[in-house]
């Protein structure tokens, strides 16, 4: 196996080192020249600045000496000391007598040992003080000493910038050159080497060398083209033999007419899928379908037309079931088989069977004729119906044959009870879609009683479905179906709208009670649920505090943070939040701390056997104590006896609902109940 290149062996790395060394040496030399020239310029500027400064104050200094004005001389000296570089100034008479003088120490810096030999530590300048009217008479002298440190500092900073910029420029140029060489040479070479290593000796034309981008006409491109031509030439001698082998394999493994998997190949795939499903605890579904009246079509239109029809059926099945979860095969004659993996349940199998049947709805154009066909599907499930491939296929084939005796263009499951259950479920889904438009839903209201004040303080809105054929369909049966099909979104909004409208009516009639509405997990996952609820409250002009949303423990566990954010937004708006059926789900204190919950509703299964079942009594007591410790109001559902009501009241449960007080009632009966209940409480107190 070829050994990988070490870093120092890479061509780009060696080019980078050479380029960097040359650039640094050239940069240092150029910088030295620039710094030297700048040194001369700074020295000249220092002398020029001194000359200009002295010339500026020369007349004032001459006047001070001529007038022997010490105060004016001091002002001149002080003015010169405004310049940082001036170290000493002296105005004196020709005799040497000082008229004004001032000095300060040399600036102490770390770089003097470097710059003093270059610029000298200080520079002295003398100017004779002569009046313009008497050019031959010297009245005195102006002596100025300059500290070279400020000018040296400027020069040193520029020198540092020069060296740094040159070195940085050298590094940048080296980096750019490295990138250029890497892109144009080393990287294409490495890609070519990798392509050569991937060439398969037995099939060299399957992995030809990839042409480096942008090198199609240079030496690298010529090398790649020459190598590829050689690989293709080597492969030509093997191509004929492989094609013959492929044709033989095609004939043995695939159906000659449709190109689909043959029976033997399909059975191998089925056995492998069963082993995979068994190891992961998954389900499979096997569909065997036969065309209805295919024999009569052959007799009427001829076998060639029948073959074209079979080809079209195979194409439609492949297009409709294009996912990797499906394997399609022709078992023989007019029978086809479909294997589906990753099956969730029988309802998903029913959906797939309906997709298969849709393949036959559109007529098929064969030899200028439009042929209408249909099929019957038999379904067998693994592991429910059979545990091995042969028995599973046999079950599906038998089911298909039995289904043909009962009609055409439909599917049937191997087990009759499962078949009926799934059909009922599918029909219920279809009925749910139209139930809302047909006005088959209605709301009833169950009163919520304050156990301390004995007053009706709220009502829980409950949906009822009056099916024209099934009669009263229990919510526990159709609500899960609505959640699965997605129709719960429209149904839930209808319930919320109707409940808010009723709450507004009661408020207008002088009965402003709180309305509790259930919120499903599907509704809570909807992005616009918060806006939808607040818009409904605004539409009916009722305060948010009069609405209570009941969510189950499991409804927000899929995406806890998203649910918490939405419920907090509703809580900030004033809506109350209650956890329904508490104790039947996760019952985790973690989400109770995160969520804006005000009420805990004890599930009715714990109230039903209260004082009879010790475990249920203990659970109810625990929930009441938990609510008290978290400052939450506890609501007991399903109260049916006076003993239960008394016990809950004594234990500190604040609210209750159940048949002991009232069953769920229509709106008008609910109003009558409230009046009678309150009147009865007044009479009992009297």
């Amino acid at each position: 196996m070829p050994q990988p290149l070490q870093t120092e062996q890479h061509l780009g790395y060696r080019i980078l080192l050479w380029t960097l060394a040359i650039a640094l040496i050239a940069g240092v030399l150029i910088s030295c020249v620039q710094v030297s020239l700048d040194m001369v310029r700074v020295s000249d500027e220092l002398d020029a600045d001194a000359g200009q400064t002295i010339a500026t104050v020369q007349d004032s200094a001459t006047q001070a000496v001529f007038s022997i004005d010490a105060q004016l001389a001091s002002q001149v000296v002080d003015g010169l000391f405004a310049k940082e570089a001036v170290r000493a100034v002296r105005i004196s008479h020709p005799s040497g007598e000082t008229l004004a003088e001032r000095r300060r120490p040399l600036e102490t810096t770390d770089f003097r040992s470097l710059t003093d030999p270059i610029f000298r530590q200080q520079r002295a300048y003398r100017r004779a003080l002569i009046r313009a009217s008497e050019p031959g008479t010297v009245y005195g002298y102006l002596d100025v000493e300059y500290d070279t440190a400020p000018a040296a500092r400027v020069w040193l900073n520029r020198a540092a910038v020069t060296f740094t910029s040159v070195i940085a420029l050298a590094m940048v140029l080296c980096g750019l050159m490295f990138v250029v060489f890497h892109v144009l040479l080393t990287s294409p070479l490495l890609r070519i080497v990798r392509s050569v290593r991937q060439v398969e000796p037995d099939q060299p034309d399957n992995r030809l060398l990839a042409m480096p981008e942008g090198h199609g006409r240079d030496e690298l491109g010529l090398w790649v083209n020459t190598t590829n031509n050689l690989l293709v030439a080597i492969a030509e001698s093997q191509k004929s033999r492989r094609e013959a082998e492929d044709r033989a394999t095609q004939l043995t493994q695939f159906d000659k007419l449709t190109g689909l998997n043959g029976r033997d190949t399909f059975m191998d795939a089925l056995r492998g899928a069963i082993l995979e499903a068994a190891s992961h605890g998954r389900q499979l579904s096997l569909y065997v379908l036969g065309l209805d009246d295919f024999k009569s079509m052959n007799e009427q239109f001829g076998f060639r037309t029948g073959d074209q029809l079979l080809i079209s059926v195979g194409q439609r099945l492949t297009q409709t079931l294009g996912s990797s979860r499906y394997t399609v095969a022709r078992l023989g004659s007019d029978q086809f088989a479909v294997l589906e993996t990753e099956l969730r349940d029988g309802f998903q199998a029913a959906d797939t069977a309906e997709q298969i049947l849709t393949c036959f709805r559109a007529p098929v154009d064969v030899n200028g004729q439009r042929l209408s066909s249909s099929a019957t599907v038999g379904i067998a499930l693994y592991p429910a119906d059979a545990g091995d491939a042969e028995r599973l296929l046999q079950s599906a084939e038998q089911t298909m044959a039995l289904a043909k005796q009962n009609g055409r263009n439909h599917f049937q499951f191997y087990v009759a009870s499962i078949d009926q259950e799934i059909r009922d479920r599918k029909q219920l889904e279809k009925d749910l879609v139209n139930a809302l438009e047909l006005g088959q839903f209605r709301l009833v209201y169950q009163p919520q009683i304050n156990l301390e004040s004995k007053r009706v303080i709220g009502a829980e809105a409950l949906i009822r479905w009056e099916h024209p054929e099934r009669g009263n369909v229990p919510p526990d049966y159709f609500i899960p179906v609505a959640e699965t099909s997605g129709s719960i979104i429209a149904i839930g909004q209808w319930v919320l709208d109707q409940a808010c409208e009723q709450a507004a009516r009661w408020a207008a009639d002088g009965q402003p009670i709180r309305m509790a509405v259930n919120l499903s997990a599907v509704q809570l996952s909807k992005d616009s649920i918060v806006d939808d609820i607040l818009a409904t409250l605004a539409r009916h002009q009722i305060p948010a505090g009069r609405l209570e949303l009941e969510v189950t423990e499991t409804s927000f566990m899929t995406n806890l943070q998203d649910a918490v954010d939405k419920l907090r937004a509703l809580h900030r708006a004033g809506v109350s939040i209650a956890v329904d059926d508490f104790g039947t789900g996760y019952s985790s204190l973690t989400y109770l701390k995160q969520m804006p919950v005000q009420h805990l509703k004890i599930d009715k299964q714990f109230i039903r056997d209260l004082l009879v079942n010790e475990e249920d009594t203990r659970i109810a007591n625990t929930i009441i104590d938990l609510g008290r410790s978290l400052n939450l109001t506890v609501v007991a559902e399903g109260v049916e006896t006076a003993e239960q009501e008394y016990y809950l009241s004594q234990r500190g449960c604040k609210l209750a609902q159940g048949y002991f007080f009232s069953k769920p009632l229509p709106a008008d009966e609910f109003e009558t109940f409230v009046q009678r209940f309150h009147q009865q409480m007044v009479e009992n107190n009297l």
Side-chain angles (χ1 to χ4, degrees):
M1 180 177 179
Q3 296 295 325
L5 290 174
Q6 301 296 323
T7 302
E8 61 273 9
Q9 295 174 333
H10 281 279
L11 182 61
Y13 177 78
R14 296 167 64 186
I15 292 174
L16 175 64
L17 291 181
W18 277 97
T19 305
L20 181 61
I22 294 173
L24 288 177
I25 293 173
V28 169
L29 292 176
I30 294 173
S31 298
C32 289
V33 173
Q34 290 179 342
V35 169
S36 299
L37 294 175
D38 190 49
M39 177 188 67
V40 174
R41 184 172 61 82
V42 169
S43 180
D44 293 342
E45 288 178 351
L46 185 63
D47 292 338
D49 182 72
Q52 292 177 359
T53 302
I54 293 174
T56 302
V57 300
Q58 182 176 355
D59 291 342
S60 299
T62 302
Q63 182 63 35
V65 172
F66 177 77
S67 305
I68 313 178
D69 189 344
Q71 183 177 2
L72 179 59
S74 296
Q75 291 177 353
V76 172
V77 170
D78 292 341
L80 289 174
F81 261 75
K83 295 185 67 65
E84 180 185 9
V86 175
R87 175 182 175 267
V89 179
R90 180 171 179 264
I91 300 176
S92 60
H93 295 288
S95 62
E97 181 181 355
T98 300
L99 181 62
E101 183 178 15
R102 184 176 175 183
R103 291 179 174 275
R104 57 185 168 192
L106 291 171
E107 181 180 344
T108 303
T109 59
D110 296 333
F111 55 80
R112 272 196 178 277
S113 59
L114 175 65
T115 59
D116 284 351
I118 298 175
F119 296 104
R120 300 196 303 274
Q121 189 177 60
Q122 61 184 10
R123 297 190 181 190
Y125 303 92
R126 164 168 281 203
R127 182 68 60 89
L129 301 177
I130 303 172
R131 297 185 68 186
S133 58
E134 300 176 279
T137 304
V138 177
Y139 291 95
Y141 296 96
L142 173 62
D143 295 291
V144 179
E145 295 181 7
Y146 263 64
D147 188 350
T148 61
R153 183 187 300 108
V154 174
W155 171 79
L156 195 61
N157 289 338
R158 283 204 295 263
V161 171
T162 300
F163 275 105
T164 303
S165 61
V166 169
I167 293 174
L169 180 61
M171 297 295 289
V172 171
L173 290 176
C174 288
L176 292 176
M177 293 184 67
F178 173 76
V179 171
V180 170
F181 275 103
H182 179 76
V183 171
L184 294 181
L185 186 59
T186 58
S187 181
L189 284 175
L190 287 175
R191 288 199 296 270
I192 293 173
V193 170
R194 284 194 293 268
S195 297
V196 172
R197 290 176 177 175
Q198 293 175 355
V199 172
E200 300 177 5
D202 294 337
Q203 296 178 327
D205 59 339
N206 280 358
R207 291 182 177 272
L208 296 178
L209 304 188
M211 176 66 70
E213 187 177 354
H215 294 274
R217 298 184 179 181
D218 58 16
E219 291 83 350
L220 292 179
L222 179 61
W223 178 22
V224 170
N225 286 327
T226 303
T227 305
N228 284 338
N229 290 334
L230 178 61
L231 294 175
V232 171
I234 295 173
E236 286 180 352
S237 62
Q238 305 174 9
K239 186 174 182 180
S240 299
R241 178 175 56 86
R242 287 201 306 270
E243 290 178 350
E245 292 176 351
D246 292 342
R247 284 195 297 270
T249 301
Q250 183 79 14
L251 292 175
T252 57
Q253 294 184 355
F254 299 95
D255 178 60
K256 182 179 180 181
L257 179 64
T258 62
L260 299 176
N261 293 304
R263 177 181 284 268
D264 293 339
T265 305
F266 181 74
M267 290 304 295
D268 291 339
L270 180 58
R271 294 186 188 98
I274 288 177
L275 290 176
E276 180 73 14
S279 63
H280 294 86
R282 296 174 180 170
Q283 300 182 70
L284 303 174
S285 58
L286 178 60
Y287 313 85
V288 173
L289 57 136
L291 274 65
D292 299 326
D293 292 336
F294 181 70
K295 182 179 178 180
S296 62
M297 284 191 178
N298 273 336
E299 294 175 352
Q300 181 178 358
F301 299 103
F303 290 100
R304 182 169 297 180
T305 299
D307 289 345
Q308 291 297 321
L309 177 61
L310 293 176
I311 293 173
S312 299
V313 170
Q315 292 174 347
R316 289 189 178 186
L317 287 173
T318 303
Q319 294 171 358
T320 303
L321 307 175
S323 170
S324 60
R325 296 191 299 110
Y326 302 100
T327 302
V328 183
R330 183 190 177 208
L331 301 180
S333 185
D334 65 333
Q335 290 190 6
F336 294 82
V338 177
L339 171 64
E340 180 179 10
T341 59
E342 302 176 15
L343 186 72
R344 293 192 306 272
D345 49 34
F347 300 108
Q348 180 180 338
D351 290 336
T352 302
E354 288 186 347
Q355 291 184 54
I356 293 174
L357 294 178
T358 59
C359 297
F360 300 89
R361 290 179 180 171
V364 179
D365 292 329
V366 178
N367 298 328
Q369 301 180 23
R370 292 179 63 83
L371 302 181
S372 296
S373 63
S374 62
T376 302
V377 183
I379 307 172
L381 305 178
Y382 170 86
D385 299 335
D388 59 77
E390 286 73 16
R391 290 185 58 192
L392 191 66
L393 179 59
Q394 183 182 20
S395 299
E397 288 178 327
Q398 291 175 352
T399 304
M400 187 269 294
L402 181 62
K404 277 181 173 288
Q405 298 176 6
N406 299 324
R408 57 167 59 189
N409 193 28
H410 71 286
F411 63 85
Q412 182 172 320
F413 282 84
Y414 178 70
V415 178
S417 60
I418 294 179
D419 184 77
Q420 188 60 43
E421 178 186 351
I422 291 178
R423 290 183 185 281
D424 290 344
R425 171 75 173 266
K426 299 296 290 185
Q427 185 60 46
L428 191 67
E429 288 183 5
K430 295 178 181 178
D431 293 344
L432 266 175
V433 175
N434 301 320
L436 195 58
E437 296 181 1
L438 297 176
Q440 296 174 0
F441 291 122
R442 63 185 179 90
L443 291 187
V444 293
Y445 305 90
Q446 186 168 38
Q448 295 178 337
I449 312 299
N450 187 309
L451 296 180
E452 293 180 346
S453 64
K454 305 300 182 183
R455 302 284 296 179
V456 178
I457 55 89
E460 180 179 3
L462 301 170
I463 189 171
R464 296 291 184 263
W465 182 14
E466 293 293 341
H467 193 280
E469 298 176 359
R470 298 172 182 259
N472 187 15
V473 182
D476 293 344
Y477 184 69
F478 75 81
I479 290 297
V481 177
E483 290 180 332
T484 303
S485 64
S487 57
I488 191 65
I489 297 294
I491 295 174
Q493 180 58 43
W494 179 85
V495 171
L496 178 65
D497 192 74
Q498 294 295 310
C500 290
E501 182 179 354
Q502 186 60 57
R505 288 199 196 100
W506 285 337
D509 294 339
Q511 292 184 344
I513 62 176
R514 185 179 63 221
M515 181 67 72
V517 177
N518 289 281
L519 188 67
S520 74
V522 180
Q523 289 177 274
L524 188 57
S525 64
K526 186 181 177 184
D527 293 337
S528 62
I529 184 63
V530 175
D531 295 335
D532 293 344
I533 292 173
L534 297 181
T536 303
L537 291 172
R539 185 166 59 253
H540 295 288
Q541 298 181 355
I542 62 174
R546 200 162 293 159
L547 175 64
E548 176 183 291
L549 296 176
E550 297 185 1
V551 293
T552 60
E553 296 178 68
T554 55
S555 65
F556 44 79
M557 295 307 295
T558 303
N559 190 343
L560 179 59
Q561 189 56 52
D562 179 66
V564 168
D565 293 341
K566 292 174 180 175
L567 293 178
R568 283 180 177 171
L570 291 169
H571 176 63
R572 287 193 296 269
V575 178
S576 298
I577 308 298
V579 177
D580 197 10
D581 299 338
F582 188 78
T584 61
Y586 294 90
S587 300
S588 171
L589 292 178
T590 302
Y591 69 74
L592 282 181
K593 292 180 181 179
Q594 298 182 43
M595 296 182 61
V597 177
Q598 291 81 51
H599 307 286
L600 294 181
K601 300 194 71 174
I602 308 176
D603 187 70
K604 56 186 176 183
Q605 73 181 50
F606 304 119
I607 303 300
R608 180 172 53 247
D609 294 331
L610 190 67
L611 304 178
V612 177
N613 184 296
E614 181 179 350
E615 183 178 353
D616 288 347
T617 303
R618 185 163 52 250
I619 292 175
N621 290 338
T622 301
I623 296 175
I624 293 173
D625 294 339
L626 176 63
R628 184 185 299 111
S629 64
L630 296 178
N631 197 26
L632 302 177
T633 302
V634 177
V635 184
E637 294 183 296
V639 178
E640 297 182 356
T641 65
E643 290 78 11
Q644 294 172 352
E645 187 267 345
Y646 179 78
Y647 180 82
L648 291 168
S649 178
Q650 295 302 310
R651 281 289 294 140
C653 182
K654 301 296 184 184
L655 304 176
Q657 63 186 83
Y659 276 36
F660 174 70
F661 306 104
S662 173
K663 65 179 182 180
L665 301 169
D668 54 348
E669 296 181 20
F670 181 89
E671 297 172 8
T672 303
F673 166 80
V674 173
Q675 296 174 359
R676 291 179 179 175
F677 184 81
H678 290 167
Q679 181 63 33
Q680 183 180 358
M681 291 299 103
V682 172
E683 293 175 355
N684 290 341
N685 291 335
L686 292 177

